[in-house]
Amino acid sequence: MQDQAFFKDVMGRIGCDLRRAEGLTFAVFQELRDRITPNEALHVAAQLPKRLKMMWMSLEHPDRKVRRVSGDQFIWEVRRMAGLTDDEEAERAVSAVFAGLQRLLSSPTGQEGEAWDVMSQLPKDLKKLWAQAQRQHQTVNPSGV
């Protein structure tokens, strides 16, 4: 899946335009990356197409510490960063980007390979959001993906 196909996937899952899909992806990527180790973040980046890799790594720094937060706090952080109006909208965005990222990581359930490595580093309630992302979007079959 290339960059544009990823954004179209997010657009289809959320029902937004391209610019919004890009902004939501950026917000979710930054928050998720900060919740896993820098080494694991590099493993994820290695599997992303160029533009998504740049987005994923844009605010990364080598001495970053892992930020442990609850699922609710994660949703709030995405909401704040993306300028969303409510937690429901932020949770839909998180779910859509998680599902798309899992597809990029070749994980149909979010629990295989590199996706499993990401999930294993998340706190319990954030793991639940990660694991539910594919199930919430099973009926979505965006074109070009």
Side-chain angles (χ1 to χ4, degrees):
M1 178 188 305
Q2 294 302 314
D3 302 325
Q4 288 299 70
F6 180 89
F7 294 127
K8 286 180 182 178
D9 182 41
V10 171
M11 287 169 52
R13 293 174 191 276
I14 300 175
C16 66
D17 64 20
L18 178 62
R19 185 174 175 171
R20 190 66 167 153
E22 290 170 346
L24 294 171
T25 297
F26 178 80
V28 174
F29 272 16
Q30 297 310 303
E31 293 303 320
L32 179 60
R33 191 209 56 239
D34 283 354
R35 301 316 182 270
I36 61 177
T37 64
N39 191 46
E40 185 57 36
L42 288 173
H43 289 206
V44 171
Q47 296 188 41
L48 300 178
K50 185 178 181 178
R51 185 166 175 216
L52 291 172
K53 182 184 297 190
M54 288 173 36
M55 210 179 249
W56 175 263
M57 297 299 292
S58 65
L59 299 178
E60 179 69 308
H61 50 91
D63 59 343
R64 170 182 63 82
K65 303 291 184 217
V66 176
R67 291 182 53 218
R68 299 284 180 211
V69 299
S70 68
D72 289 343
Q73 181 68 28
F74 184 89
I75 296 295
W76 185 88
E77 294 285 351
V78 168
R79 177 182 172 184
R80 181 188 57 78
M81 182 179 273
L84 301 174
T85 58
D86 60 47
D87 287 349
E88 277 186 25
E89 186 179 12
E91 190 166 341
R92 283 192 308 276
V94 167
S95 179
V97 174
F98 277 7
L101 180 57
Q102 290 166 12
R103 288 184 61 165
L104 277 175
L105 298 176
S106 301
S107 178
T109 69
Q111 298 181 29
E112 298 87 14
E114 196 63 42
W116 173 261
D117 295 343
V118 170
M119 187 178 90
S120 70
Q121 293 191 13
L122 301 176
K124 187 177 181 178
D125 54 349
L126 202 46
K127 278 181 185 168
K128 186 176 176 182
L129 287 172
W130 178 264
Q132 290 175 341
Q134 288 295 342
R135 287 191 300 267
Q136 290 176 343
H137 297 284
Q138 281 179 343
T139 59
V140 175
N141 187 13
S143 61
V145 179

